[in-house]
Amino acid sequence: MFKKGFLYLALASSCFCPIVQAADMSKVLHVNYEVAEVGFDPAKTNDLYSSGINENIFDTLVTYDYLARPVKLVPNVIEAMPELSADGRTYTFHLKKGIYFSDDPAFKGVKRELTAEDYVYSLKRLVDPVVHSPNGYLVSDKIVGLEELSHAPRGKFDYNTPIPGLKALDRYTLQITIKEPNSSFLYFLGMIHLAAVAREVMETYADNTMAHPVGTGPYVLKEWKPANKIVLEANPNFRHVELESVGSGKGLDAEIVKDLKGKTLPIAGRVEVSVIEEEQPRWLSFINQEQDIAFIPLNGARKILNVDPRNPGKVSLKPEYASKGIRIQPELLPEITYYFFNMKDPVIGGYTRERIALRRALAMSFDRDQAIRDIRQGRAVPMENIIPRNFVGNNPNLRASTPYDPALANALLDRFGYKIGTDGYRTQPNGEPLEVELAVTPTATDRQWSEAWQAAFDSVKVHLRIKVAKWNENYKASKEGSLQMHGNAWTADYPGADNFLQLLYGPNSGQTNDAFFKNAEYDRLFLESLKLPDSPERNAIYDRMNKIAASYTPWVFSDIRIRTYVSNAYVHGYKQHPILITSWRYMDVQK
Amino acid sequence: MQDMTMTNNSPAELTPPRSLWSLGWQRLKRDRVGFVSLWIVVAFLVVIALCWTRLLASNWGEEVAVPYAPPTWAKGEATAATNGATDANVLGGANGPIITLTPEEDPIGKDIEAARADAGKYQLKATVKADALFMGADVRGRSVVNKVLAGTSTSMLVGIFGALLSVLIGTCLGAFAGYFGRAVDDFLMWFYSVFTSVPDMLLLLAFAAVCGRGFLTLIMVLSFTSWTATFRLVRAEFMKHRSREYVQAADAIGASHLRRMFVHILPNISHLLLVQFSLLLVSLIKYEVILSFLGFGVSVRQVSWGSILGEVPAELMQGYWWQLLAVVIMMSLLVTAVSLLTDALRDALDPKVK
Amino acid sequence: MLSYILRRVWQMIPTLLGVMLLVFIVFNWAGGDPSYILAGKGVSKELIANIHAQLGLDKSLPEQFLLFVTQVLHLDFGVSWSTQQSVIGIMAARIGPSLALTGTLLVAELLTAIPIAILVAYHRGKLIDRTVTILCTVAMSVSSLVYIIVGQYALAYKLGWFPVMGWDDKSLFNSWLHYIPLPLILGLAVSLAPEVRFYRSFVVEELNQDYVRTARAKGLSERVMLFKHVLRNALIPVVTAVTTSLPFLVLGSMLLERFFGIPGMGNELLLAVDKSDFPVIKAITIAIACATMFFNLLADVLYKWIDPRVELK
């Protein structure tokens, strides 16, 4: 392999010879996004859609095994998984030699090899105030010395300042030291925001890094029409990579291994990504084979699928679709959805028994099964644990949600003195009027959720006011703590339980802890759990944390959606990964 | 700011207004299409009045049927899977006894146990839900007939009050601009051109975003963005009329400016305002639909044609067409009737037709 | 004529200033603060302050407005707050598809609506007139949304006559050939009926004028009269209608663009409003305001050309 790489280098740098390319340039993959991307600077973006593109242009140190479930980290640009020091704080990575960035004028015609310094630069860049990266929080309080660096006065941020936690020991050896042992730290390194960018490129295009992604990944950005179309082409400088994953060795996994055997990745020479926001046209264009893959629109589920009423995971396509050779992959999304109460709020928040009772009664009044049946069209399962299913640490026997019981909710409110007034609605125990505001967005789906909440509040005779605002307004208000109640969905960034449990961690209030929930025991358990590897001891802590959340009811646990991914008959090699956003490099189209 | 000076205008505007209206009524009665339309519009107004006084469709929010129950006359349509609620066990698989928060661990555990004894009086009796209704049911099992009637009432009220307010704004501003001319006209024309130069949709979205949701908001937002046409019309008419003899005569007998504007000139253009009002009624009803589709419609406790149509794209994909049908029938009936009536009025009240 | 045009252009300045003020006030009031989205999951006060400084949101409102005015004067709207791409670049890429759709739609409307309107106006009061009028009224009564939703479902998906949606970035002509027809048909379905009714009423009104009676009395043939006199006078409302319908075209095309994935200005504006991308909103509004004013001027100049009796003040 080394020899081949050497020859490759010699060929490419001579610039006269045609470039040998593994990918078949005549094969074009047609895929779509339902939401517009932002741009292609991995440090500056944190949305799913931009990251999906970045995933194909840039390389992280580690990545995920394509087929293995539960998900498993594997080396990406490194020779082997890193060595971890005895104190659990220092990781040492050995980069593979002969990995090159795609060509760009910023390199002035010279082939540019990926080195350990690139990762040092890229990780420091996440805390550079000029970059104002939304991803800085991932590393700034973890890697030794990075936080101090980030406090450099404006305009004085110097990338050449050495910091103890981030060192290039030699051209190919990277050493990262973190403050405390953290069982999820390697997962962070698998996030695309921590991928390597080249300093020359970032400096050359400093005022528009979003449009000039230059990486070492399988594809390069060929064309970009913001919010409309993104075209990727196979990177001629991409190292030789074949599918190494074997997965379960059965079914789809076995088929993919067989299909991809001996093939060099990426297989398709060109990927065309269209942004199609409306559900109906997106589905119709998939059916017309204008798109290779898609997922079944929520509102189409009953028309398209036969669902086993007792098991929403067990589905089959209706004959008219099955006969076209369309294939399906139903997957639980790596997420939880919940409604939070603002614990700082003078009416709905607080830790006294009467306030707990109010929140508990409201949670009891909400008919979640009906919402799943009618709004989610049955394509969801109830959320019972802060840690979603299929994630390490989820206890399938635990039910931390509040059971639906509006009669009990009424009795409970009576007991705590929330008396029914002359208008038929309850007042606060101190006689003041009681009204709760739910913030929603102006979408058809949110109107359905609003109607469901309206019915719930009516059943316990509490006034509900619904505030409709654009998503970003609600987002801002939730960070400022000025909402009373709002619905949230949290999608996993990495497969660690702490990614979800941190949503109620006190110090994260105003950042990810929108409920502003503070509980000393919960916070202590959270920090303790971070240091522990997967063990019964850690699972016991997780269960306890769930019970604390259940006790104070800062959230109404809602559901976890099931998404049914589909691919047309001529698509090979496609399997949806729960954490990786795209599977494009593995996909083949044989029309 | 052009002024079209036509040399061949007939002096018909001098006809006293009363005879114009009675003449119009006579002509309208002879126009069969217009007359039928009038009765349809009156019927709709009766429906509104009944809904307004809660005599009709006040119970539209009641969940009387299974979700998406089909119309009784199209029962072959697939009904929704009503047993879709899922057992949490099915995915991932529980393998031991279920663990929940125990009363001891729960800070309000004792209270919950005590409350359980009193819960009985709040227990609701299970009601039997119909599996088909005359026009079917929506996602929450509400009757489409009631929902669409309630929606008709809301949409028409939004349209009527929105159009009234819009005509009021447009007439007042237009009257001032046309009557006084000069600086007043310059300023109002500036105001007018600013409003017409910004895309309506942008203003609608921005106003709707600020004002939140609800009936009054809709009326305000719609009238704030739609007064411009009336303004231009009224301004041109006032410019024409202010130099007419009858206005000068009024001046001679010492009538004040306001009196001349609103007592003398206004009745002479009232037929145009009536036509303008009905045109606006139709366009505001349609704007309401688009605003609701984009999510800025009436509140959750209210229903309008727009909010119903907002549900339609999703339903159509699932094959539930009955809400669409019901709304389209009601909407086209009313809007057609109003439009035909407008035409008939335009013809009947046209002073040039003898 | 030239001095008139110059004076009108001079008058555009206060209007443009008014538009800027309106947009500025409305969107500072309603537009929202994009910095929290840009800050992502790890919101901190420092980061927000940092972003505010970068976007110029830390300046006072008068300063921000002054900056806006300077931007308009320099025709430089800076970069989009969300994608950091040059706003002028984004607009340049969006204008083509929008014009391809709305321009074609406008031409198609005129070519179909005016002949039908003249035909029915000529036969006014007869069966054909009544039928067409009533048909138009019924067609108009349904919301444009219903046309789009049902049309796309039936014509593209069920019958497969058109691609469901899409756009060819490389060749505008190709897009025009493949992707414009369906939105065009649906757009036409929405707008044809009101146009026919509108033009009919003007032709009818013109036919009721005294001079027509005089001409008829003089023994002028109906045909000559219709095409030589009536049509000429009825052209004035056509010009007005075309020019005043331009803002409505943007509104109409907004929905069409959204449903059919056409990368036009309307689609971009909806996205920008959604993301509080103020630079893009400002630029598009100013562009549309300028276009509206320009077309209004054009309309007045055309009046004069069509009907020399019109006095330009």
PDB file of all heavy atoms in Angstrom, chain C residues 127-152:
ATOM      1  N   LEU C 127     -74.397  34.305 -24.468  1.00  0.00           N
ATOM      2  CA  LEU C 127     -74.152  33.076 -23.715  1.00  0.00           C
ATOM      3  C   LEU C 127     -72.666  32.864 -23.452  1.00  0.00           C
ATOM      4  O   LEU C 127     -72.253  32.576 -22.323  1.00  0.00           O
ATOM      5  CB  LEU C 127     -74.736  31.885 -24.489  1.00  0.00           C
ATOM      6  CG  LEU C 127     -74.601  30.552 -23.737  1.00  0.00           C
ATOM      7  CD1 LEU C 127     -75.446  30.559 -22.476  1.00  0.00           C
ATOM      8  CD2 LEU C 127     -74.969  29.388 -24.643  1.00  0.00           C
ATOM      9  N   ILE C 128     -71.845  33.048 -24.522  1.00  0.00           N
ATOM     10  CA  ILE C 128     -70.413  32.767 -24.372  1.00  0.00           C
ATOM     11  C   ILE C 128     -69.809  33.656 -23.292  1.00  0.00           C
ATOM     12  O   ILE C 128     -69.012  33.212 -22.458  1.00  0.00           O
ATOM     13  CB  ILE C 128     -69.657  32.917 -25.719  1.00  0.00           C
ATOM     14  CG1 ILE C 128     -68.161  32.716 -25.480  1.00  0.00           C
ATOM     15  CG2 ILE C 128     -69.909  34.254 -26.385  1.00  0.00           C
ATOM     16  CD1 ILE C 128     -67.363  32.534 -26.733  1.00  0.00           C
ATOM     17  N   ASP C 129     -70.218  34.917 -23.275  1.00  0.00           N
ATOM     18  CA  ASP C 129     -69.709  35.848 -22.265  1.00  0.00           C
ATOM     19  C   ASP C 129     -70.089  35.375 -20.874  1.00  0.00           C
ATOM     20  O   ASP C 129     -69.259  35.279 -19.978  1.00  0.00           O
ATOM     21  CB  ASP C 129     -70.292  37.235 -22.551  1.00  0.00           C
ATOM     22  CG  ASP C 129     -69.879  38.237 -21.484  1.00  0.00           C
ATOM     23  OD1 ASP C 129     -68.756  38.081 -20.967  1.00  0.00           O
ATOM     24  OD2 ASP C 129     -70.665  39.150 -21.182  1.00  0.00           O
ATOM     25  N   ARG C 130     -71.357  35.044 -20.719  1.00  0.00           N
ATOM     26  CA  ARG C 130     -71.839  34.631 -19.398  1.00  0.00           C
ATOM     27  C   ARG C 130     -71.110  33.363 -18.938  1.00  0.00           C
ATOM     28  O   ARG C 130     -70.688  33.258 -17.800  1.00  0.00           O
ATOM     29  CB  ARG C 130     -73.343  34.371 -19.458  1.00  0.00           C
ATOM     30  CG  ARG C 130     -74.115  35.629 -19.807  1.00  0.00           C
ATOM     31  CD  ARG C 130     -75.338  35.756 -18.958  1.00  0.00           C
ATOM     32  NE  ARG C 130     -75.466  37.114 -18.490  1.00  0.00           N
ATOM     33  CZ  ARG C 130     -76.230  37.481 -17.464  1.00  0.00           C
ATOM     34  NH1 ARG C 130     -76.882  36.567 -16.798  1.00  0.00           N
ATOM     35  NH2 ARG C 130     -76.313  38.731 -17.091  1.00  0.00           N
ATOM     36  N   THR C 131     -70.998  32.405 -19.860  1.00  0.00           N
ATOM     37  CA  THR C 131     -70.348  31.138 -19.501  1.00  0.00           C
ATOM     38  C   THR C 131     -68.907  31.387 -19.063  1.00  0.00           C
ATOM     39  O   THR C 131     -68.484  30.922 -18.003  1.00  0.00           O
ATOM     40  CB  THR C 131     -70.351  30.176 -20.709  1.00  0.00           C
ATOM     41  OG1 THR C 131     -71.580  30.305 -21.374  1.00  0.00           O
ATOM     42  CG2 THR C 131     -70.119  28.757 -20.279  1.00  0.00           C
ATOM     43  N   VAL C 132     -68.159  32.119 -19.902  1.00  0.00           N
ATOM     44  CA  VAL C 132     -66.750  32.348 -19.574  1.00  0.00           C
ATOM     45  C   VAL C 132     -66.634  33.109 -18.262  1.00  0.00           C
ATOM     46  O   VAL C 132     -65.827  32.760 -17.400  1.00  0.00           O
ATOM     47  CB  VAL C 132     -66.039  33.108 -20.717  1.00  0.00           C
ATOM     48  CG1 VAL C 132     -64.649  33.545 -20.281  1.00  0.00           C
ATOM     49  CG2 VAL C 132     -65.951  32.235 -21.950  1.00  0.00           C
ATOM     50  N   THR C 133     -67.482  34.116 -18.104  1.00  0.00           N
ATOM     51  CA  THR C 133     -67.405  34.904 -16.869  1.00  0.00           C
ATOM     52  C   THR C 133     -67.644  34.029 -15.649  1.00  0.00           C
ATOM     53  O   THR C 133     -66.902  34.085 -14.674  1.00  0.00           O
ATOM     54  CB  THR C 133     -68.444  36.043 -16.896  1.00  0.00           C
ATOM     55  OG1 THR C 133     -68.308  36.712 -18.146  1.00  0.00           O
ATOM     56  CG2 THR C 133     -68.208  37.022 -15.783  1.00  0.00           C
ATOM     57  N   ILE C 134     -68.672  33.205 -15.741  1.00  0.00           N
ATOM     58  CA  ILE C 134     -68.984  32.364 -14.580  1.00  0.00           C
ATOM     59  C   ILE C 134     -67.878  31.330 -14.351  1.00  0.00           C
ATOM     60  O   ILE C 134     -67.445  31.115 -13.218  1.00  0.00           O
ATOM     61  CB  ILE C 134     -70.372  31.707 -14.730  1.00  0.00           C
ATOM     62  CG1 ILE C 134     -71.439  32.804 -14.609  1.00  0.00           C
ATOM     63  CG2 ILE C 134     -70.594  30.631 -13.675  1.00  0.00           C
ATOM     64  CD1 ILE C 134     -72.848  32.339 -14.732  1.00  0.00           C
ATOM     65  N   LEU C 135     -67.390  30.755 -15.439  1.00  0.00           N
ATOM     66  CA  LEU C 135     -66.294  29.786 -15.304  1.00  0.00           C
ATOM     67  C   LEU C 135     -65.108  30.431 -14.613  1.00  0.00           C
ATOM     68  O   LEU C 135     -64.496  29.856 -13.710  1.00  0.00           O
ATOM     69  CB  LEU C 135     -65.861  29.285 -16.689  1.00  0.00           C
ATOM     70  CG  LEU C 135     -66.584  28.065 -17.216  1.00  0.00           C
ATOM     71  CD1 LEU C 135     -65.999  27.653 -18.557  1.00  0.00           C
ATOM     72  CD2 LEU C 135     -66.455  26.905 -16.216  1.00  0.00           C
ATOM     73  N   CYS C 136     -64.780  31.635 -15.063  1.00  0.00           N
ATOM     74  CA  CYS C 136     -63.645  32.351 -14.469  1.00  0.00           C
ATOM     75  C   CYS C 136     -63.894  32.580 -12.995  1.00  0.00           C
ATOM     76  O   CYS C 136     -62.998  32.381 -12.162  1.00  0.00           O
ATOM     77  CB  CYS C 136     -63.456  33.711 -15.135  1.00  0.00           C
ATOM     78  SG  CYS C 136     -62.671  33.581 -16.719  1.00  0.00           S
ATOM     79  N   THR C 137     -65.089  33.003 -12.671  1.00  0.00           N
ATOM     80  CA  THR C 137     -65.394  33.295 -11.281  1.00  0.00           C
ATOM     81  C   THR C 137     -65.244  32.043 -10.432  1.00  0.00           C
ATOM     82  O   THR C 137     -64.665  32.082  -9.345  1.00  0.00           O
ATOM     83  CB  THR C 137     -66.827  33.836 -11.163  1.00  0.00           C
ATOM     84  OG1 THR C 137     -66.998  34.793 -12.202  1.00  0.00           O
ATOM     85  CG2 THR C 137     -67.053  34.489  -9.847  1.00  0.00           C
ATOM     86  N   VAL C 138     -65.740  30.935 -10.944  1.00  0.00           N
ATOM     87  CA  VAL C 138     -65.621  29.689 -10.179  1.00  0.00           C
ATOM     88  C   VAL C 138     -64.153  29.307 -10.037  1.00  0.00           C
ATOM     89  O   VAL C 138     -63.685  28.962  -8.958  1.00  0.00           O
ATOM     90  CB  VAL C 138     -66.420  28.560 -10.860  1.00  0.00           C
ATOM     91  CG1 VAL C 138     -66.184  27.238 -10.151  1.00  0.00           C
ATOM     92  CG2 VAL C 138     -67.896  28.893 -10.874  1.00  0.00           C
ATOM     93  N   ALA C 139     -63.412  29.425 -11.137  1.00  0.00           N
ATOM     94  CA  ALA C 139     -61.996  29.051 -11.104  1.00  0.00           C
ATOM     95  C   ALA C 139     -61.236  29.910 -10.113  1.00  0.00           C
ATOM     96  O   ALA C 139     -60.327  29.449  -9.441  1.00  0.00           O
ATOM     97  CB  ALA C 139     -61.402  29.185 -12.496  1.00  0.00           C
ATOM     98  N   MET C 140     -61.623  31.186 -10.034  1.00  0.00           N
ATOM     99  CA  MET C 140     -60.936  32.114  -9.141  1.00  0.00           C
ATOM    100  C   MET C 140     -61.226  31.864  -7.681  1.00  0.00           C
ATOM    101  O   MET C 140     -60.522  32.339  -6.809  1.00  0.00           O
ATOM    102  CB  MET C 140     -61.421  33.534  -9.429  1.00  0.00           C
ATOM    103  CG  MET C 140     -60.613  34.281 -10.393  1.00  0.00           C
ATOM    104  SD  MET C 140     -61.544  35.745 -10.817  1.00  0.00           S
ATOM    105  CE  MET C 140     -61.280  36.756  -9.382  1.00  0.00           C
ATOM    106  N   SER C 141     -62.335  31.169  -7.453  1.00  0.00           N
ATOM    107  CA  SER C 141     -62.793  31.085  -6.075  1.00  0.00           C
ATOM    108  C   SER C 141     -61.944  30.145  -5.240  1.00  0.00           C
ATOM    109  O   SER C 141     -61.972  30.195  -4.032  1.00  0.00           O
ATOM    110  CB  SER C 141     -64.237  30.621  -6.058  1.00  0.00           C
ATOM    111  OG  SER C 141     -64.292  29.300  -6.536  1.00  0.00           O
ATOM    112  N   VAL C 142     -61.166  29.291  -5.890  1.00  0.00           N
ATOM    113  CA  VAL C 142     -60.385  28.322  -5.127  1.00  0.00           C
ATOM    114  C   VAL C 142     -59.005  28.922  -4.849  1.00  0.00           C
ATOM    115  O   VAL C 142     -58.422  29.564  -5.707  1.00  0.00           O
ATOM    116  CB  VAL C 142     -60.255  27.011  -5.917  1.00  0.00           C
ATOM    117  CG1 VAL C 142     -59.506  25.990  -5.095  1.00  0.00           C
ATOM    118  CG2 VAL C 142     -61.625  26.485  -6.271  1.00  0.00           C
ATOM    119  N   SER C 143     -58.512  28.685  -3.670  1.00  0.00           N
ATOM    120  CA  SER C 143     -57.211  29.231  -3.293  1.00  0.00           C
ATOM    121  C   SER C 143     -56.106  28.710  -4.208  1.00  0.00           C
ATOM    122  O   SER C 143     -56.124  27.564  -4.643  1.00  0.00           O
ATOM    123  CB  SER C 143     -56.897  28.827  -1.857  1.00  0.00           C
ATOM    124  OG  SER C 143     -55.564  29.089  -1.566  1.00  0.00           O
ATOM    125  N   SER C 144     -55.122  29.567  -4.472  1.00  0.00           N
ATOM    126  CA  SER C 144     -54.013  29.160  -5.332  1.00  0.00           C
ATOM    127  C   SER C 144     -53.278  27.958  -4.753  1.00  0.00           C
ATOM    128  O   SER C 144     -52.729  27.135  -5.470  1.00  0.00           O
ATOM    129  CB  SER C 144     -53.052  30.329  -5.516  1.00  0.00           C
ATOM    130  OG  SER C 144     -52.708  30.872  -4.266  1.00  0.00           O
ATOM    131  N   LEU C 145     -53.300  27.849  -3.439  1.00  0.00           N
ATOM    132  CA  LEU C 145     -52.627  26.717  -2.797  1.00  0.00           C
ATOM    133  C   LEU C 145     -53.232  25.388  -3.226  1.00  0.00           C
ATOM    134  O   LEU C 145     -52.529  24.406  -3.434  1.00  0.00           O
ATOM    135  CB  LEU C 145     -52.791  26.830  -1.289  1.00  0.00           C
ATOM    136  CG  LEU C 145     -51.680  27.515  -0.535  1.00  0.00           C
ATOM    137  CD1 LEU C 145     -52.057  27.605   0.919  1.00  0.00           C
ATOM    138  CD2 LEU C 145     -50.399  26.724  -0.691  1.00  0.00           C
ATOM    139  N   VAL C 146     -54.554  25.395  -3.353  1.00  0.00           N
ATOM    140  CA  VAL C 146     -55.233  24.164  -3.747  1.00  0.00           C
ATOM    141  C   VAL C 146     -54.767  23.752  -5.147  1.00  0.00           C
ATOM    142  O   VAL C 146     -54.475  22.583  -5.392  1.00  0.00           O
ATOM    143  CB  VAL C 146     -56.764  24.348  -3.704  1.00  0.00           C
ATOM    144  CG1 VAL C 146     -57.470  23.119  -4.241  1.00  0.00           C
ATOM    145  CG2 VAL C 146     -57.212  24.638  -2.281  1.00  0.00           C
ATOM    146  N   TYR C 147     -54.660  24.741  -6.045  1.00  0.00           N
ATOM    147  CA  TYR C 147     -54.182  24.435  -7.393  1.00  0.00           C
ATOM    148  C   TYR C 147     -52.796  23.800  -7.351  1.00  0.00           C
ATOM    149  O   TYR C 147     -52.524  22.810  -8.023  1.00  0.00           O
ATOM    150  CB  TYR C 147     -54.102  25.716  -8.231  1.00  0.00           C
ATOM    151  CG  TYR C 147     -55.410  26.168  -8.794  1.00  0.00           C
ATOM    152  CD1 TYR C 147     -56.192  27.093  -8.129  1.00  0.00           C
ATOM    153  CD2 TYR C 147     -55.862  25.662  -9.998  1.00  0.00           C
ATOM    154  CE1 TYR C 147     -57.398  27.515  -8.652  1.00  0.00           C
ATOM    155  CE2 TYR C 147     -57.063  26.077 -10.540  1.00  0.00           C
ATOM    156  CZ  TYR C 147     -57.830  27.005  -9.859  1.00  0.00           C
ATOM    157  OH  TYR C 147     -59.020  27.405 -10.391  1.00  0.00           O
ATOM    158  N   ILE C 148     -51.928  24.417  -6.558  1.00  0.00           N
ATOM    159  CA  ILE C 148     -50.542  23.938  -6.549  1.00  0.00           C
ATOM    160  C   ILE C 148     -50.463  22.532  -5.947  1.00  0.00           C
ATOM    161  O   ILE C 148     -49.860  21.628  -6.524  1.00  0.00           O
ATOM    162  CB  ILE C 148     -49.640  24.921  -5.778  1.00  0.00           C
ATOM    163  CG1 ILE C 148     -49.655  26.288  -6.467  1.00  0.00           C
ATOM    164  CG2 ILE C 148     -48.214  24.395  -5.708  1.00  0.00           C
ATOM    165  CD1 ILE C 148     -48.896  27.363  -5.724  1.00  0.00           C
ATOM    166  N   ILE C 149     -51.088  22.362  -4.800  1.00  0.00           N
ATOM    167  CA  ILE C 149     -50.997  21.070  -4.114  1.00  0.00           C
ATOM    168  C   ILE C 149     -51.609  19.963  -4.975  1.00  0.00           C
ATOM    169  O   ILE C 149     -50.988  18.929  -5.238  1.00  0.00           O
ATOM    170  CB  ILE C 149     -51.708  21.124  -2.749  1.00  0.00           C
ATOM    171  CG1 ILE C 149     -50.977  22.082  -1.818  1.00  0.00           C
ATOM    172  CG2 ILE C 149     -51.799  19.749  -2.119  1.00  0.00           C
ATOM    173  CD1 ILE C 149     -51.767  22.449  -0.579  1.00  0.00           C
ATOM    174  N   VAL C 150     -52.834  20.214  -5.429  1.00  0.00           N
ATOM    175  CA  VAL C 150     -53.526  19.188  -6.199  1.00  0.00           C
ATOM    176  C   VAL C 150     -52.857  19.005  -7.562  1.00  0.00           C
ATOM    177  O   VAL C 150     -52.677  17.883  -8.032  1.00  0.00           O
ATOM    178  CB  VAL C 150     -55.023  19.539  -6.347  1.00  0.00           C
ATOM    179  CG1 VAL C 150     -55.734  18.526  -7.224  1.00  0.00           C
ATOM    180  CG2 VAL C 150     -55.682  19.608  -4.978  1.00  0.00           C
ATOM    181  N   GLY C 151     -52.453  20.122  -8.185  1.00  0.00           N
ATOM    182  CA  GLY C 151     -51.833  20.043  -9.509  1.00  0.00           C
ATOM    183  C   GLY C 151     -50.547  19.253  -9.507  1.00  0.00           C
ATOM    184  O   GLY C 151     -50.326  18.396 -10.374  1.00  0.00           O
ATOM    185  N   GLN C 152     -49.712  19.515  -8.543  1.00  0.00           N
ATOM    186  CA  GLN C 152     -48.444  18.802  -8.489  1.00  0.00           C
ATOM    187  C   GLN C 152     -48.679  17.313  -8.250  1.00  0.00           C
ATOM    188  O   GLN C 152     -48.045  16.466  -8.876  1.00  0.00           O
ATOM    189  CB  GLN C 152     -47.567  19.384  -7.374  1.00  0.00           C
ATOM    190  CG  GLN C 152     -46.158  18.849  -7.410  1.00  0.00           C
ATOM    191  CD  GLN C 152     -45.291  19.480  -6.348  1.00  0.00           C
ATOM    192  OE1 GLN C 152     -45.758  19.795  -5.259  1.00  0.00           O
ATOM    193  NE2 GLN C 152     -44.023  19.666  -6.652  1.00  0.00           N
TER     194      GLN C 152
END
